[in-house]
């Protein structure tokens, strides 16, 4: 018996234990990799090697059918197998049935049947049970079913060396009717292994609404090799809030290891919305040996059922029920799919709502109060409140613009070509005008025909058919639902957009816009979502608000002409709550308007372009870039470098000038830069050519780390100039926004095109991922405002201090951009500034950087700053950027070279001239001799001048001495001559001489000339008067 016991022990170690099978109330035993495996060879060995102690087995009782169960052996190479009996408890009985030939390995029963192992025949399931035939189904999540396991990993690249136990407690959590992923910042995998005998499939339902979580489903074989799988099957698509999506993947025969993996990246402060998973179905197992009992709250009334139905309202059921038991509705109630009946509480103010009755023929209405349906409270219980009586009769509010009541209680849309303000009757538009189509809902007596309301419960996928929203006269507000965590849904469908006739040929990017006014009142963690689904691709959250919000308006511009569904969703709390604790928390929407709707009505008329000025002329579309002249109603082209502002083309003022450094395209629909820029300085004009920077550039900032250590980057793509307004920068979301199978194109994910866009990148090594993830792509720059060296433009301010520079010789050129899409944190939209800096040390493409103080590119979340340093950002070279150097004349030849001024701060433009060689003439020898003689003559002349000057001084001295001596005697002596010969009186030269007045040589010569005494030689005749003395000196 030793060998048999060992085989039984081996069998007990594979798959579920026998005791576990009994504890599950004989749930189906399915042939897969984790089930019991018994080799026919092992059975033969057990029989042949019985020990002598088997004689004692004669005293053991004979086995009954309740002591064993049947199981198939593994299939051999021929596809055959054997049916063997396996005891529930070893050594308790003897006389097990002999092994017999089993069914074919690929044999399976139809849905609603199971394989009865005794007769090896398919048998219908009894009432209260169901079967998938060759499949498995997991739809009860009170606990994680056996066979499923969770594997959590924490970030492997944390810069702070976090403890490895950070994610040790992370796992998928059972919530009764569904599984919930972990909310913390960890990677958690839900794993299940199944062995298929033939190709099959796996199908599951899920809720995935938060793009801060990456949700993937993939399959591995028994060698841990990932199966080939399309990306749109691996990455799960986002769902609408409150709605369940379905995902199906084909499986190969053999071993398949299924992985549901979630990875959260906590980049924001908002609470995470976990992934929900339920109703997992597997097809392709070999057989089902028993039927599944219906789970509590469901039933199957007929034998051979392939599924179970939910119990209707005010009934309940237990496990394996063939019918539902009704509750005592006087004292108890039950929601759809309930497992028990609940006692009805006394009615309170939270159990009724206020609304308005429909307008009667006299256009009268009154306030009415009604119990919330389904009514679960008791009106006659002790402490219950009474329903307030009906209010006074009031005049009905007018119809919404574009509708009229025609003296009836119903508002009808105006006919095409007519308009109404909702009060007056519809009337045709005047000549020279056309109707302005759209929706404008501001009165809420009834729900408009193109809107619908619904309610989704997380567990049951509906709210017992309750309306999610209620009309209330001047507003529409969220309803109560069945529980506080219900999603209350309001949807508006627009089949498309139609531009007014006058602008149908325009090439602008705006096709329409939606504007709504709302407010929220909350006491819990409520959240209000505005979502959009274009062409049924996927629903994206455009904006969301948390908590109480004051009355405000929100506007979104449509840049694509497509069918769109606008959805408003409100959830009072995200916590699992099956009661109405916060029933008074609500959101109110006061008005909703949509422009240019293709099936819209007209609330007014606008001027249109006329074919001619004749009376009765029809409206015609203006060509692109033309406005309507107010005087003639004719189409006129906008002036150069102006653009039309939206679709308002009436009057020349509709043509808005482009910003500095920009120009308009031919259609006057967008301003752009041609990568050329001119800056005029006082002493020169700088011309820039940024063509080298025209193609899109990228910068990866970071790495950054979340609070839990996950590494991520911000990827920025920058298209400086664009291609005549085309936004060349694209950021792709390759994970969280996958297209439907019906959508056009074979690419995975969606992309955002803009002048500047941003994506969040999770590297492949950040979470053990096999590929880098790109998500949360947003546009930072939709329109080009202009380029200038000034710091501010159109309310956008550059911050040069964020990018300090050692040289300011060439001013930075700032490119300004704006994104018109507003957010809660950026009510005026996002802005971006790209500063171009001349740096000759960089290449022509250069490099882009973000501020070191703001590594995410922004310091406030709304304005982004970039610095693009490049030699291509330098001005074009001119003749002012180089200087001339002339060489010496050698051999009659002289060289002239041109050298760039240092530092060289220019590129392209004027090229540096080549070296210039020119002839030159040497100075002649005789010219040199003449120059020498001239110099000698000059020296002689100077010497003579000095000699005569000295001689004259001596003459003056002698003359003065003579005069002095005459004055001493009273009169001059008579003499034939008063001349003093050369050499006389030299011995008395040193005698004192006193001058009464000192005359210059010129004065003396003049005096001699006036006396008329002109003598030759060196003597001077002195004459005197006897009556008067004259003294010279």
């Amino acid at each position: 018996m030793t060998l048999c016991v060992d085989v039984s022990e081996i069998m007990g170690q594979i798959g579920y234990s026998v005791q576990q099978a009994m504890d599950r109330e004989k749930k189906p035993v399915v042939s897969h990799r984790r089930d019991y495996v018994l080799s026919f060879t092992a059975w033969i060995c057990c029989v042949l090697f019985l020990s002598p102690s088997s004689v004692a087995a004669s005293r053991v009782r004979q086995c009954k059918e309740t002591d064993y169960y049947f199981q198939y052996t593994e299939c051999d190479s021929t596809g055959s197998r054997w049916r063997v009996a396996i005891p529930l408890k070893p050594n308790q009985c003897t006389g097990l049935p002999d092994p017999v030939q089993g069914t074919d390995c690929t044999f399976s029963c139809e849905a609603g049947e199971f394989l009865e192992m005794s007769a090896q025949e398919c048998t219908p399931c009894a009432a209260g049970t169901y079967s998938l035939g060759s499949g498995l189904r997991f739809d009860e999540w009170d606990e994680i079913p056996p066979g499923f396991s969770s594997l959590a990993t924490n970030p492997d690249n944390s810069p702070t060396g976090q403890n490895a136990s950070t994610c040790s407690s992370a796992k998928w959590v059972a919530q009764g009717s569904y599984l919930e992923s972990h909310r913390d910042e960890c990677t958690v995998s839900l794993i299940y292994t199944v062995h298929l005998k033939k190709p099959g499939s796996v199908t599951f339902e899920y809720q995935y609404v938060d793009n801060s979580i990456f949700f993937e489903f993939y399959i591995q074989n028994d060698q841990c090799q990932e199966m080939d799988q399309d990306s749109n099957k691996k990455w799960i698509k986002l769902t609408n809030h409150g709605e369940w999506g379905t995902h199906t993947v084909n499986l190969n025969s053999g071993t398949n290891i299924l992985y549901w993996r979630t990875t959260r990246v906590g980049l924001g402060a908002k609470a995470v919305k976990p992934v929900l998973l339920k109703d997992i179905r597997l097809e392709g197992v070999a057989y089902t040996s028993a039927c599944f009992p219906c789970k509590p709250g469901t039933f199957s009334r007929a034998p051979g059922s392939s599924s179970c139905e939910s119990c209707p309202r005010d009934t309940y059921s237990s496990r394996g029920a063939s019918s539902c038991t009704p509750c005592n509705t006087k004292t108890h109630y039950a929601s759809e799919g309930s497992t028990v009946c609940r006692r009805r509480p006394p009615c309170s103010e939270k159990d009724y709502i206020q609304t308005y009755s429909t307008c009667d023929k006299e256009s009268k209405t009154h306030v009415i109060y009604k119990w919330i349906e389904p009514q679960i409270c008791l009106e006659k219980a002790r402490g219950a409140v009474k329903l307030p009586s009906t209010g006074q009769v009031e005049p009905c509010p007018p119809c919404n613009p574009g509708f009229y009541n025609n003296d009836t209680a119903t508002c009808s849309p105006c006919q095409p070509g007519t308009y109404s303000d909702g009060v007056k009757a519809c009337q045709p538009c005047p000549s020279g005008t056309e109707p302005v189509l759209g929706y404008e809902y501001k009165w809420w007596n009834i729900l408009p025909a193109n809107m619908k309301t619904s309610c989704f419960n997380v567990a049951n996928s509906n709210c017992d058919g309750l309306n999610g929203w209620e009309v209330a006269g001047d507003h529409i507000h969220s309803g109560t639902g069945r529980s506080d965590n219900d999603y209350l849904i309001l949807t508006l469908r627009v089949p498309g957009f139609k531009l007014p006739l006058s602008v149908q040929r325009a090439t602008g990017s705006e096709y329409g816009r939606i504007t709504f006014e709302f407010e929220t009142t909350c006491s819990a963690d409520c959240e209000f979502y505005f979502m959009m689904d274009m062409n049924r691709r996927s629903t994206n959250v455009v904006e969301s608000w948390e908590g109480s919000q004051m009355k405000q308006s929100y506007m979104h511009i449509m840049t694509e002409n497509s069918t769109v569904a606008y959805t408003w969703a409100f959830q009072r709390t995200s916590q699992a709550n099956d009661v109405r604790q916060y029933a008074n928390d609500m959101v109110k929407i006061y008005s909703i308007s949509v422009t240019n709707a293709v099936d819209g009505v007209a609330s007014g008329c606008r001027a249109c372009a006329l074919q001619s000025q004749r009376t009765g002329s029809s409206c015609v579309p203006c060509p692109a870039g033309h406005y309507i002249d107010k005087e003639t109603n004719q189409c006129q082209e906008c002036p150069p470098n102006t653009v039309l502002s939206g679709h308002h083309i009436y009057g020349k003022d509709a043509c808005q000038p482009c910003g500095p450094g920009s120009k308009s395209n031919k259609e006057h629909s967008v301003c752009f830069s041609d990568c050329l820029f001119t800056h005029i300085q006082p002493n020169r004009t700088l011309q820039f050519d940024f063509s080298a920077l025209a193609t899109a550039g990228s910068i990866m900032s970071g790495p950054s780390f979340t609070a839990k250590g996950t590494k991520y980057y911000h990827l920025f793509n920058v298209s400086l100039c664009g291609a005549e307004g085309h936004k060349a920068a694209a950021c792709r979301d390759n994970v969280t926004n996958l297209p439907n199978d019906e959508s056009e194109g074979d690419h995975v994910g969606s992309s955002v095109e803009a002048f500047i866009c941003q994506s969040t990148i999770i590297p492949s090594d950040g979470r053990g991922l096999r590929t880098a993830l790109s998500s949360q792509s947003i546009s930072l720059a939709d329109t080009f405002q202009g380029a200038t060296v000034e710091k501010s433009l159109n309310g956008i301010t550059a911050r040069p201090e964020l990018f300090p520079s050692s040289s300011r010789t060439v001013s930075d050129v700032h490119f300004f951009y704006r994104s018109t899409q507003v957010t809660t944190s950026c009510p005026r939209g996002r802005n971006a500034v790209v500063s171009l800096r001349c740096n000759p040390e960089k290449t022509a493409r250069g490099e882009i950087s973000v501020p070191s103080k703001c590594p995410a590119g922004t310091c406030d979340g709304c304005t982004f700053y970039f610095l693009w340093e490049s030699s291509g950002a330098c001005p074009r070279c001119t003749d002012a950027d180089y200087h001339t150097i002339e060489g010496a004349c050698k051999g009659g030849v002289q060289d002239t070279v041109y050298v760039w001024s240092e530092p060289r701060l220019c590129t392209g433009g004027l090229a540096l001239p080549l070296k210039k060689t020119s002839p030159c003439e040497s100075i002649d020898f005789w010219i040199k001799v003449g120059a020498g003689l001239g110099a000698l003559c000059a020296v002689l002349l100077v010497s003579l001048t000095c000699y005569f000057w000295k001689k004259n001084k001596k003459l003056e001295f002698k003359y003065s001495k003579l005069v002095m001596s005459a004055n001493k005697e009273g009169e001059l002596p008579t003499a034939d001559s008063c001349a003093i010969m050369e050499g006389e009186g030299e011995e008395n030269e040193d005698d004192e001489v006193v001058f009464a007045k000192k005359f210059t040589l010129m004065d003396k010569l003049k005096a001699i000339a006036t006396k008329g005494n002109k003598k030759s030689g060196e003597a001077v005749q002195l004459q005197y008067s006897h009556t008067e003395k004259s003294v010279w000196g």
Side-chain angles (χ1 to χ4, degrees):
M1 292 295 291
T2 303
L3 182 59
C4 289
V5 172
D6 292 341
V7 172
S8 299
E9 290 177 357
I10 293 173
M11 291 165 49
Q13 295 172 2
I14 303 176
Y16 310 137
S17 67
V18 176
Q19 187 62 40
Q20 286 176 325
M22 296 295 294
D23 293 342
R24 294 192 68 194
E25 300 180 2
K26 297 183 180 180
K27 284 190 175 182
V29 180
V30 183
S31 175
H32 56 78
R33 193 175 177 221
R34 302 184 66 88
D35 289 343
Y36 297 110
V37 180
L38 178 63
S39 173
F40 179 66
T41 305
W43 175 267
I44 297 299
C45 292
C46 181
V47 175
L48 294 178
F49 293 96
L50 291 174
S51 64
S53 61
S54 61
V55 178
S58 59
R59 293 189 294 270
V60 180
R61 63 180 179 85
Q62 289 291 321
C63 291
K64 301 179 181 179
E65 292 184 359
T66 57
D67 294 327
Y68 60 88
Y69 63 94
F70 291 107
Q71 180 71 38
Y72 282 125
T73 64
E74 289 287 348
C75 295
D76 57 22
S77 59
T78 62
S80 301
R81 57 186 174 183
W82 292 80
R83 189 203 69 176
V84 297
I86 301 176
L88 296 176
K89 295 182 179 180
N91 304 327
Q92 294 295 321
C93 65
T94 187
L96 293 173
D98 296 331
V100 298
Q101 184 73 32
T103 60
D104 186 79
C105 287
T106 59
F107 175 83
S108 61
C109 298
E110 299 293 333
E113 299 177 341
F114 72 100
L115 183 62
E116 203 285 312
M117 295 297 290
S118 298
Q120 298 192 71
E121 295 179 351
C122 293
T123 304
C125 293
T129 63
Y130 74 97
S131 169
L132 300 178
S134 61
L136 288 172
R137 184 173 185 174
F138 300 94
D139 57 358
E140 293 184 57
W141 305 101
D142 295 321
E143 60 181 2
I144 303 293
F148 284 89
S149 61
S150 285
L151 176 64
T153 58
N154 60 304
D156 55 3
N157 54 10
S158 172
T160 57
Q162 293 179 351
N163 194 316
S165 62
T166 302
C167 297
S168 59
S169 61
K171 61 182 179 180
W172 287 75
V173 181
Q175 295 288 4
S177 57
Y178 57 88
L179 279 176
E180 181 180 282
S181 69
H182 194 64
R183 295 172 182 260
D184 206 349
E185 192 174 317
C186 300
T187 297
V188 185
S189 298
L190 180 68
I191 307 173
Y192 184 77
T193 303
V194 61
H195 187 76
L196 301 184
K197 297 298 182 181
K198 59 182 180 180
S201 64
V202 56
T203 302
F204 56 89
E205 296 183 24
Y206 68 95
Q207 276 192 20
Y208 175 31
V209 298
D210 193 340
N211 61 2
S212 66
I213 296 179
F214 302 118
F215 183 27
E216 56 181 326
F217 174 75
Y218 62 96
I219 308 165
Q220 290 183 349
N221 57 19
D222 54 1
Q223 303 297 322
C224 293
Q225 297 174 341
E226 187 172 344
M227 301 288 195
D228 292 336
Q229 191 175 350
D230 294 337
S231 296
N232 60 344
K233 294 295 184 181
K234 175 181 176 181
W235 297 105
I236 308 301
K237 186 177 65 174
L238 289 169
T239 61
N240 296 344
H241 286 259
E243 295 185 356
W244 289 91
T246 302
H247 192 77
T248 301
V249 178
N250 294 327
L251 302 177
N252 298 328
S253 59
T255 300
N256 293 267
I257 307 175
L258 313 180
Y259 288 83
W260 292 266
R261 182 158 77 168
T262 60
T263 303
R264 185 206 165 195
V265 181
L267 300 179
K270 289 187 176 182
V272 66
K273 298 287 185 180
V275 175
L276 308 182
L277 191 65
K278 72 171 186 177
D279 198 11
I280 300 176
R281 300 184 296 275
L282 295 168
E283 294 287 346
V285 296
Y287 63 92
T288 299
S289 59
C291 294
F292 293 91
C294 292
K295 68 176 183 178
T298 64
F299 73 100
S300 64
R301 60 168 56 92
S305 297
S306 59
S307 62
C308 299
E309 304 176 39
S310 296
C311 288
R313 186 186 303 166
D314 293 332
T315 63
Y316 72 98
S317 70
S318 57
R319 184 183 302 278
S322 59
S323 62
C324 297
T325 304
C327 300
N328 181 2
T329 56
K330 293 183 179 180
T331 57
H332 291 75
Y333 76 98
S335 302
E336 181 180 349
S338 295
T339 59
V340 294
C341 293
R342 296 182 178 182
R343 181 173 295 277
R344 293 181 180 272
C347 291
S348 65
E349 290 82 357
K350 297 180 180 180
D351 294 306
Y352 65 85
I353 59 173
Q354 172 186 327
T355 185
Y356 287 84
S357 65
T358 57
C359 293
D360 55 22
K361 295 182 179 180
E362 298 179 354
S363 297
K364 300 293 183 179
T365 184
H366 52 269
V367 178
I368 58 175
Y369 299 89
K370 61 180 182 180
W371 296 111
I372 297 174
E373 296 293 339
Q375 182 179 353
I376 62 175
C377 64
L378 289 176
E379 300 181 57
K380 298 181 180 180
R382 179 178 299 178
V385 300
K386 300 297 182 180
L387 188 68
S389 58
T390 302
Q392 296 181 351
V393 177
E394 300 177 0
C396 281
C399 296
N400 284 311
F403 292 82
Y404 73 104
N405 57 16
N406 199 20
D407 297 330
T408 62
T410 304
C411 293
S412 303
C414 291
Q415 296 297 320
T418 63
Y419 73 98
S420 172
D421 59 358
V423 178
K424 300 179 182 178
C426 299
Q427 52 187 333
C429 288
S431 177
T433 62
E434 59 181 336
V436 180
L437 299 180
Y439 314 131
E440 188 176 354
Y441 301 134
K442 58 182 181 179
W443 301 110
W444 303 93
N445 297 323
I446 60 173
L447 193 68
N450 58 349
M451 300 183 71
K452 70 174 184 178
T453 176
S454 57
C455 176
F456 290 97
N457 180 265
V458 173
N460 295 333
S461 75
N462 64 71
C463 305
D464 296 332
L466 294 176
N467 286 336
W469 292 67
E470 299 285 347
V471 294
D474 62 343
H475 69 273
I476 182 172
H477 62 80
S478 57
T480 55
R482 189 179 67 87
S483 60
D484 284 338
N485 66 338
D486 292 344
Y487 284 98
L488 308 172
I489 308 296
L490 179 66
T491 303
L492 168 63
R493 293 197 173 274
V494 181
F497 297 89
K498 180 181 179 181
L499 298 177
L501 181 62
S502 299
V503 296
Q504 287 183 357
R505 295 181 182 177
T507 57
S509 59
E510 179 182 339
Y511 286 90
R513 61 179 63 188
I514 179 171
T515 307
F516 60 93
E517 190 177 19
F518 72 97
E519 69 174 340
T520 59
T521 304
C522 301
S523 58
D525 58 330
C526 71
E527 192 160 7
F528 180 45
Y529 303 90
F530 173 60
M531 301 175 289
M532 185 174 63
D533 180 7
M534 298 177 61
N535 292 330
R536 300 181 181 273
R537 291 187 298 224
S538 67
T539 300
N540 295 320
V541 176
V542 180
E543 189 56 85
S544 62
W545 299 266
E546 295 179 348
S548 297
Q549 298 288 331
M550 298 179 61
K551 191 174 183 180
Q552 58 187 280
S553 179
Y554 181 81
M555 183 266 295
H556 180 76
I557 297 176
M558 295 299 302
T559 58
E560 181 180 343
N561 189 5
S562 60
T563 301
V564 60
Y566 299 108
T567 301
W568 295 266
F570 182 70
Q571 188 181 37
R572 291 193 290 269
T573 179
S574 60
Q575 304 299 322
N577 195 350
D578 202 25
V579 296
R580 295 172 179 166
Q581 183 178 356
Y582 308 110
N584 291 334
D585 292 1
M586 67 175 61
V587 57
K588 297 179 180 179
I589 295 181
Y590 294 93
S591 64
I592 299 175
S593 64
V594 180
T595 63
N596 300 334
V598 69
D599 62 341
V601 294
S603 60
C605 300
R606 59 183 291 175
C608 67
L610 299 179
Q611 187 174 10
S612 65
Q613 297 187 22
R614 292 179 297 179
T615 304
S617 178
S618 59
C619 295
V620 295
C622 281
H626 288 62
Y627 68 94
I628 303 174
D629 186 81
K630 292 184 178 181
E631 297 180 358
T632 63
N633 273 29
Q634 300 292 300
C635 298
Q636 300 290 337
E637 185 176 2
C638 283
N641 296 331
T642 60
V643 292
L644 285 172
S645 57
H647 294 135
H648 305 287
I649 65 171
Y650 190 67
K652 189 175 181 179
D653 53 355
C655 302
Q656 299 294 324
C658 292
S662 64
K663 58 191 301 185
S664 64
N665 57 357
K666 296 179 180 179
E667 294 80 12
H668 296 274
S669 61
V670 65
C671 294
F672 69 97
S673 171
D674 57 1
C675 286
L676 300 178
F677 180 77
T678 301
H679 174 49
I680 300 176
Q681 292 182 339
N683 55 348
R684 64 178 298 190
T685 298
L686 299 179
Q687 293 183 343
F688 296 81
D689 185 357
F690 302 126
S691 300
L693 312 178
T695 56
S698 300
I699 174 177
M700 184 91 74
S701 68
S704 300
F705 295 88
T706 62
K708 294 294 184 179
T710 300
K711 180 169 65 176
Y712 68 93
Y713 298 85
H714 284 308
L715 173 65
F716 299 95
N717 290 330
V718 180
S719 174
L720 187 69
C721 305
E724 292 197 359
H726 175 68
K727 305 164 187 175
C731 295
R732 184 174 300 280
D733 184 346
N734 67 351
V735 176
T736 57
N737 191 13
L738 302 177
N740 288 335
D741 295 337
E742 298 83 3
S743 62
E744 298 180 359
D746 56 357
H747 64 274
V748 176
S750 63
S751 62
V752 174
E753 293 184 354
F755 284 101
I756 305 174
C757 60
Q758 171 193 308
S759 294
T760 300
I761 306 296
I762 309 297
S764 57
D765 60 346
R767 287 289 191 177
L769 304 170
R770 289 166 299 281
T771 182
L773 306 182
S774 174
S775 68
Q776 302 181 11
S777 299
I778 59 174
S779 170
L780 304 180
D782 294 328
T783 59
F784 177 60
Q785 300 295 302
T788 177
V789 296
E790 303 297 331
K791 294 182 180 180
S792 298
L793 180 65
N794 295 343
I796 309 173
T797 302
R799 296 182 61 184
E801 68 274 9
L802 295 177
F803 305 102
S805 174
S806 58
S807 175
R808 292 291 182 182
T809 305
V810 178
S811 300
D812 293 344
V813 180
H814 307 293
F815 278 59
F816 295 86
Y817 304 89
R818 174 167 287 153
S819 176
T820 56
Q821 296 295 343
V822 300
T823 62
T824 303
S825 57
C826 303
R828 297 184 179 180
R830 298 183 179 94
N831 305 318
V833 181
V834 180
S835 299
L836 305 182
R837 178 169 294 172
C838 173
N839 190 339
E841 298 179 358
K842 302 291 185 180
T843 62
R845 284 290 296 169
E847 62 182 19
I848 307 174
S849 61
V850 295
S852 57
K853 297 181 180 179
C854 309
T858 177
C859 302
D860 59 2
C862 296
T863 303
F864 292 76
Y865 302 95
F866 304 92
L867 176 65
W868 198 333
E869 289 187 281
S870 163
S871 60
C874 296
R876 304 184 69 176
C877 296
T878 64
D879 54 4
D881 294 303
Y882 63 84
H883 58 273
T884 304
I885 299 179
E886 294 182 351
C889 183
K890 296 181 179 180
V893 177
Q894 184 182 32
D895 292 336
T896 303
V897 295
Y898 303 89
V899 180
W900 293 113
S901 301
E902 293 296 336
R904 180 187 174 186
L905 299 176
C906 67
T907 182
L910 185 65
L912 190 67
L914 299 176
K915 183 176 69 172
K916 179 181 177 182
T917 302
S918 59
C920 62
E921 296 181 0
S922 301
I923 300 177
D924 190 76
F925 173 76
W926 294 108
I927 297 179
K928 294 181 179 179
V929 172
L933 293 176
L936 181 58
C937 293
V939 172
L940 292 175
L941 181 61
V942 172
S943 301
L944 290 174
T945 302
C946 292
Y947 171 77
F948 285 111
W949 177 80
K950 186 176 181 181
K951 197 74 173 175
N952 181 65
K953 293 296 290 182
K954 291 181 179 181
L955 183 61
E956 286 183 359
F957 170 74
K958 292 178 180 181
Y959 181 80
S960 298
K961 188 175 180 181
L962 180 61
V963 172
M964 290 290 295
S965 61
N967 289 337
K968 289 180 182 181
E969 298 176 358
E971 58 182 12
L972 290 175
T974 58
D976 294 337
S977 175
C978 62
I980 301 175
M981 299 303 293
E982 186 176 357
E984 294 182 356
E986 291 182 359
E987 66 278 1
N988 299 323
E989 285 182 0
D990 295 333
D991 294 347
E992 181 180 2
V993 179
V994 180
F995 295 90
K997 181 178 181 181
K998 187 176 182 179
F999 292 92
T1000 64
L1001 179 61
M1002 186 61 66
D1003 292 335
K1004 295 175 181 179
L1005 295 176
K1006 289 182 179 180
I1008 294 172
T1010 55
K1011 290 296 183 177
N1013 298 325
K1014 299 181 181 178
K1015 301 268 184 179
S1016 61
E1018 295 181 356
V1020 177
Q1021 180 69 40
L1022 298 179
Q1023 295 181 358
Y1024 63 92
S1025 174
H1026 295 280
T1027 60
E1028 185 179 356
K1029 295 183 178 179
S1030 297
V1031 180
W1032 290 7

